[in-house]
Amino acid sequence: MLLRKCADRTGLTSGLNRILPRGAGPGWWDRGTVLVSLAVAIVLGATSMSDIGLLTHQGLVFGDPPSEATVRRALAELDEAGLKRIAKARAKVRARVWDLLSRRPAGFPWLTVAGKLLSGWVIIDLDATLITAHSNKQGAAATFKRGFGFHPLGAWCADTGESLAMLLRSGNAGSNTVTDHIRVLGDAITQLPVAYRRKILIRIDGAGATHDLLEHIEQMNRLWRTVKFTVGWTITDTDETAIAALPETVWTDSLQQDGTATDQAQAAELTGLNQRVESWTPGLRLIVRRTRPTARHTKKLTDLEKRTGWRYQVIATNIRRLHGVAGSHHPQFVDVLHRSHATVEDQVRHGKAMGLHNLPSKSWTVNQGWVLACNIAADLTAWTRLLGLHDQPDLAHAEPGTLRYRLLHLPAKLATHARRRTLSIPEDWPWATAFTLCWQRLSTLPLTT
């Protein structure tokens, strides 16, 4: 109920219905409603199209759900033109949701790194993942980890946890394919409301350290838009020579996510000592981090790391200063800023918990539509939490499984009497108050015109 209410009140259901093909007849289902219903079922735990039957128990609220055949036809009809129209509709709804978020008492949920609020900066995290195929499916291929399946590349908004864009790729797709990164990044930025495209920070792991991609990001800078990035950096012999030349006095204690210093790791500027930077995009900085190696790193240590007793990692960035963020030029801040990119792994894990663990069809087109439904499911979950549960400590950042158990699978009873419907919630259910509060907040959202 909460998810469907969120989709309806934000205008997602009606927006998708307007731009997707319509038919006639008593058995016709609006394709936008089918997509939203499938997304709701995915959040509830659906792993196949037949699991749309999960919504049967909500028949008194929304009527009978679409059938598996209807869901399959709706996904099979999504061509490239249809996907572009859906992307525009999602962007329009996202702009409305972000406007509502900015009107909250707490304001828009800007990211906090090292105890500093990155107000005005929208952070986009790019990452790829592997999806195992347990049968022969169109586009499935051997992966670099000796598996078999798909290798999609996605982009998430670190501020809100939304799934901005995802490109379904064959299992043998490269991790650092420039064209794929540029396409996903472009789709992700298109999803951002225009007013939020002025200051963008892009974070990618080592797959993003390619000349063409970094040059493309630099070319995105305009007088009215600032685009910064941090990417992982593969260490070569040249890098190790520069690291060995660093004086011991330049190493400073690294920062934790709360802004406190720790002597368990140290960071330093490597830019001036490394000649590799000269062949890359102008203004590139290299930040090196060193930590004590653990047992699992022992077999992979280089001669320099064995000799010094430290394990080294390098990141590349064009950040000289983040406007409005004091101390953002320090190597320690850039280091902790990039390390917080690790939260994208949680977004990938959440995506696999909501439908991306296995693609349900042998058809590439249907699986592509399924991935889209999973992205919509991630957005609905994020919007429900941000708009209705933002001040509930145990639910504001709840994992999908936790949210299902505490709210979405609420043991309530819906009764109809005298043309009125009454929802009876057990008084001893610990999260009954949170459910009621979320329902009231979503119900009072102003409808779109």
Side-chain angles (χ1 to χ4, degrees), residues 240-254:
E240 288 198 336
T241 301
I243 293 172
L246 281 172
E248 191 64 26
T249 55
V250 304
W251 292 98
T252 55
D253 289 343
S254 180

Side-chain angles (χ1 to χ4, degrees), residues 268-412:
E269 182 87 31
L270 192 62
T271 308
L273 296 174
N274 198 325
Q275 298 178 354
R276 284 184 64 194
V277 178
E278 298 176 0
S279 62
W280 288 72
T281 178
L284 192 68
R285 295 175 63 192
L286 295 183
I287 309 298
V288 59
R289 169 184 172 85
R290 68 180 187 181
T291 57
R292 293 299 181 183
T294 61
R296 69 187 183 92
H297 297 134
T298 304
K299 295 182 179 180
K300 298 182 179 180
L301 296 179
T302 64
D303 292 339
L304 174 66
E305 292 172 330
K306 292 177 181 178
R307 187 171 66 252
T308 60
W310 293 96
R311 177 173 175 263
Y312 300 97
Q313 296 170 292
V314 178
I315 60 174
T317 181
N318 65 343
I319 297 176
R320 297 289 175 177
R321 175 176 172 267
L322 294 180
H323 181 72
V325 182
S328 56
H329 61 288
H330 289 296
Q332 297 91 337
F333 179 81
V334 178
D335 169 60
V336 71
L337 175 63
H338 182 73
R339 281 190 289 117
S340 65
H341 168 67
T343 56
V344 74
E345 299 293 341
D346 291 332
Q347 301 299 336
V348 172
R349 181 168 49 84
H350 295 168
K352 290 190 173 182
M354 291 191 296
L356 284 179
H357 179 70
N358 178 52
L359 301 185
S361 176
K362 291 186 177 181
S363 167
W364 175 273
T365 303
V366 174
N367 285 334
Q368 192 171 235
W370 178 269
V371 170
L372 171 62
C374 292
N375 291 345
I376 295 176
D379 284 353
L380 282 179
T381 305
W383 296 344
T384 301
R385 288 188 290 100
L386 292 169
L387 293 174
L389 302 168
H390 54 85
D391 56 356
Q392 303 298 304
D394 55 345
L395 294 172
H397 305 284
E399 301 254 337
T402 302
L403 202 62
R404 288 170 190 157
Y405 174 76
R406 295 182 177 180
L407 282 190
L408 305 182
H409 292 168
L410 182 71

Side-chain angles (χ1 to χ4, degrees), residues 98 102 104 106-113 116-123 157-160 195-196 199:
W98 284 28
S102 65
R104 300 181 313 173
F108 189 83
W110 303 111
L111 194 67
T112 299
V113 175
K116 300 180 184 295
L117 183 67
L118 273 61
S119 179
W121 287 92
V122 176
I123 292 85
C157 178
D159 302 86
T160 60
Y196 290 83
K199 295 188 290 185

Side-chain angles (χ1 to χ4, degrees), residues 22 72 79 87 111 136 195 197 211 214 219 249 254 260 264 278 288 307 325 346 370 373 378 395 425 428:
R22 300 180 63 88
R72 187 180 298 275
D79 54 9
L111 194 67
N136 190 16
R197 299 181 191 177
H211 289 270
L214 298 190
Q219 292 171 2
T249 55
S254 180
T260 58
Q264 301 299 313
E278 298 176 0
V288 59
R307 187 171 66 252
V325 182
D346 291 332
W370 178 269
L395 294 172
I425 304 174
D428 57 350

